[in-house]
Amino acid sequence: MSKSVKSLSRRRVLRGMGTAIALPFGDAMLPTRLLTAAAADTAGPPRRMAFLYVPNGVHMPAWRPQQEGQQYDLPDTLQPLKKHQSNLNVLTGLALDGAAAHGDGGGDHARSVAAFLTGSHPRKTDGADIQNGVSVDQVAAQQVGDQTRFASLELGLEASSQAGRCDSGYSCVYTSNMSWRNATSPMAKEVDPAAVFQRLFAGQTRTDTLRAKSVREKYRKSILDFVQEDAQQLSQQLGANDKRKVDEYLYAVRDVEKRLVGAERLHLNEQGVPDYPRPAGVPKDMGKHAELMMDMITLALQTDSTRILSFMFTNAGSNRSYPDLGVSDGHHELSHHGKSADKQAKIAKINRFHVEKFAYLLDRMSSVPEGQGTLLDHCMVVYGSGISDGDRHNHDDLPILLAGKGAGKIRSGRHIRYDNGTPLCNLYLWMLQQMGAQVDHFGDSTAALKHLG
């Protein structure tokens, strides 16, 4: 049975005093005025791609499943993903040849992130003559990025560098950027969740943005207060299902906004004096910081503000400690474990922490209804590292996860073991083709990766 609905553009936004709030995908955005089951099947939500990077490899014995196919048990590190196992593929055997030394000596950490999305071998230099390759996200952005407000978004928890010496003669540009617009132009990432929020929901001009921010600060108003009239008018045009989706979405925007306000408050000691400085909007706690950024990723994809996104937990070779996990040692130092059981156990704790934050992202994405499924169902989300075992610095049999169903293109819920040495770029080539990019080769690919559909 069908019903009449008013057709809306996917770029429809709620506006008011320098604020622009994009809308989630709804039935009214289907390219027909008569909504039928057949129409929903043939004109559903857009397909998206995202890439999440973790540094220093992982403790592989606690990562790699023993069984193949659908009947496999998640190892300890991947246990936080248990509820999403049916929406997840564990891919083993993939390799990143561009991260190998090829006569350049040390610098595996720099190469591992520089090559992670490019498949290229970066030129060894700590000067201005950097040379890498175009990353998979930017190939997609150049071909299909014009369909959204932002061709792509680059996010992370640690800022990008544009100069300096970081790893055995490699520039810090390589260690802190994984998205590359071309061979010499990395895409710096945004690390402040408040800045991302402002970018997603502010007006279209800088004047509008500054004016809206000033008024909100003066009157302590939510951005939703400024679009209330437009939202009420829109509600009259929508069916019951879309009204519910918009209400749920606006509630989520307000919830994130409240948490961002809380994140801007400085921690006070017993004397009521701030005991540390930090930029507004960036929580001191890494877990809270990561979760806010996962909220930003969800909102960016949910509103179709972008369909292409990359995220780095930390920069390559990070030696950050994790005292909240009982790990006071630096991550990079621990990765050189020399087969120490104690160090490997600590590495596994750090690995599991990162996976828990990835699980948080999947929780958020799977909670967003979209079309005949969820936001996660229409995404292809890669999680992994350009190093396998941090002690060996090897770049084969990488820890790679692929979450989401790619709008029906991915048969998920499996552990797929490929021949060791299969190029990681084969996966990227397959993903580019699903995004509609006209490519038949990427990086060191030999063919589009098999067995995903």
Side-chain angles (χ1 to χ4, degrees):
M1 183 174 180
S2 64
K3 67 174 183 175
S4 295
V5 295
K6 183 176 179 63
S7 179
L8 295 177
S9 166
R10 288 186 179 182
R11 299 197 182 204
R12 173 69 160 90
V13 297
L14 300 179
R15 297 183 181 278
M17 192 174 289
T19 299
I21 300 183
L23 294 172
F25 182 89
D27 296 339
M29 293 178 183
L30 292 172
T32 176
R33 292 179 182 273
L34 288 178
L35 179 63
T36 65
D41 289 339
T42 59
R47 188 174 293 120
R48 295 87 151 187
M49 65 195 315
F51 304 89
L52 286 80
Y53 168 88
V54 289
N56 303 327
V58 303
H59 181 49
M60 291 301 291
W63 172 281
R64 187 188 299 108
Q66 296 299 310
Q67 308 89 354
E68 296 181 45
Q70 289 186 314
Q71 303 302 316
Y72 76 95
D73 297 322
L74 286 171
D76 185 68
T77 297
L78 300 184
Q79 276 296 314
L81 297 168
K82 181 66 178 177
K83 66 183 289 188
H84 299 292
Q85 188 169 350
S86 64
N87 235 332
L88 182 75
N89 281 328
V90 181
L91 311 180
T92 55
L94 302 182
L96 188 61
D97 184 66
H102 293 301
D104 283 343
D108 286 281
H109 291 282
R111 290 191 296 262
S112 72
V113 70
F116 188 63
L117 294 187
T118 67
S120 298
H121 182 78
R123 173 185 290 165
K124 190 166 191 176
T125 178
D126 58 6
D129 56 334
I130 57 173
Q131 183 82 26
N132 196 11
V134 182
S135 55
V136 57
D137 60 317
Q138 293 307 303
V139 171
Q142 290 163 14
Q143 294 210 28
V144 301
D146 60 348
Q147 299 173 18
T148 54
R149 288 178 60 206
F150 305 111
S152 64
L153 286 179
E154 295 74 42
L155 308 176
L157 301 184
E158 291 184 354
S160 295
S161 298
Q162 302 305 321
R165 180 188 176 104
C166 277
D167 183 16
S168 303
Y170 280 97
S171 170
C172 298
V173 173
Y174 295 126
T175 63
S176 62
N177 296 283
M178 71 172 182
S179 179
W180 290 70
R181 182 169 57 84
N182 56 45
T184 58
S185 302
M187 303 287 287
K189 55 191 179 293
E190 177 59 68
V191 302
D192 185 344
V196 180
F197 188 87
Q198 184 74 8
R199 188 176 178 188
L200 290 176
F201 299 115
Q204 301 299 306
T205 68
R206 177 173 174 79
T207 300
D208 287 344
T209 299
L210 294 175
R211 181 185 177 203
K213 187 173 185 292
S214 175
V215 172
R216 286 201 302 274
E217 289 176 348
K218 181 177 181 180
Y219 296 105
R220 298 295 190 266
K221 285 191 173 184
S222 161
I223 64 168
L224 301 184
D225 293 331
F226 294 97
V227 299
Q228 186 175 21
E229 182 178 350
D230 197 13
Q232 290 173 345
Q233 292 176 356
L234 173 67
S235 181
Q236 298 172 8
Q237 305 173 34
L238 300 178
N241 191 42
D242 281 348
K243 284 182 180 179
R244 176 181 58 80
K245 287 181 181 179
V246 171
D247 287 345
E248 290 175 349
Y249 163 65
L250 294 180
Y251 176 85
V253 171
R254 180 57 181 142
D255 179 64
V256 172
E257 188 179 44
K258 288 178 180 178
R259 293 167 59 205
L260 285 171
V261 171
E264 292 176 355
R265 297 174 184 151
L266 291 174
H267 176 71
L268 304 181
N269 61 23
E270 293 180 357
Q271 289 73 42
V273 178
D275 62 3
Y276 66 90
R278 95 170 167 269
V282 179
K284 178 182 179 181
D285 180 82
M286 182 181 184
K288 293 180 180 178
H289 188 187
E291 289 180 0
L292 279 173
M293 294 303 278
M294 298 307 167
D295 290 336
M296 296 301 103
I297 292 173
T298 303
L299 289 172
L301 297 175
Q302 180 182 3
T303 58
D304 204 24
S305 294
T306 189
R307 298 174 189 172
I308 303 158
L309 195 144
S310 63
F311 176 86
M312 292 178 65
F313 275 90
T314 66
N315 295 336
S318 169
N319 202 37
R320 185 170 192 155
S321 62
Y322 292 76
D324 291 345
L325 307 180
V327 179
S328 58
D329 313 75
H331 188 188
H332 181 209
E333 293 174 1
L334 287 171
S335 72
H336 294 278
H337 51 74
K339 298 185 178 179
S340 162
D342 178 63
K343 289 183 178 181
Q344 288 178 323
K346 291 178 179 178
I347 295 169
K349 283 186 177 181
I350 296 173
N351 298 158
R352 181 159 175 145
F353 169 80
H354 291 149
V355 170
E356 286 172 351
K357 300 311 163 190
F358 182 50
Y360 176 89
L361 173 63
L362 301 190
D363 287 345
R364 297 283 284 112
M365 294 175 69
S366 62
S367 71
V368 177
E370 190 178 71
Q372 301 301 305
T374 69
L375 174 63
L376 181 57
D377 290 332
H378 300 105
C379 291
M380 303 177 288
V381 186
V382 174
Y383 173 102
S385 182
I387 291 177
S388 180
D389 175 29
D391 196 46
R392 294 172 54 210
H393 279 182
N394 62 307
H395 308 288
D396 63 326
D397 196 18
L398 295 173
I400 302 294
L401 304 176
L402 177 63
K405 290 185 167 63
K409 295 295 185 178
I410 299 173
R411 183 162 60 91
S412 54
R414 298 174 292 157
H415 170 211
I416 309 175
R417 190 187 301 274
Y418 294 95
D419 292 339
N420 197 37
T422 300
L424 176 62
C425 287
N426 285 8
L427 169 61
Y428 297 159
L429 176 61
W430 184 87
M431 294 175 67
L432 285 170
Q433 292 174 351
Q434 310 318 306
M435 290 293 293
Q438 301 300 308
V439 292
D440 55 15
H441 183 267
F442 176 77
D444 65 345
S445 67
T446 55
L449 196 65
K450 299 178 180 179
H451 312 308
L452 293 176

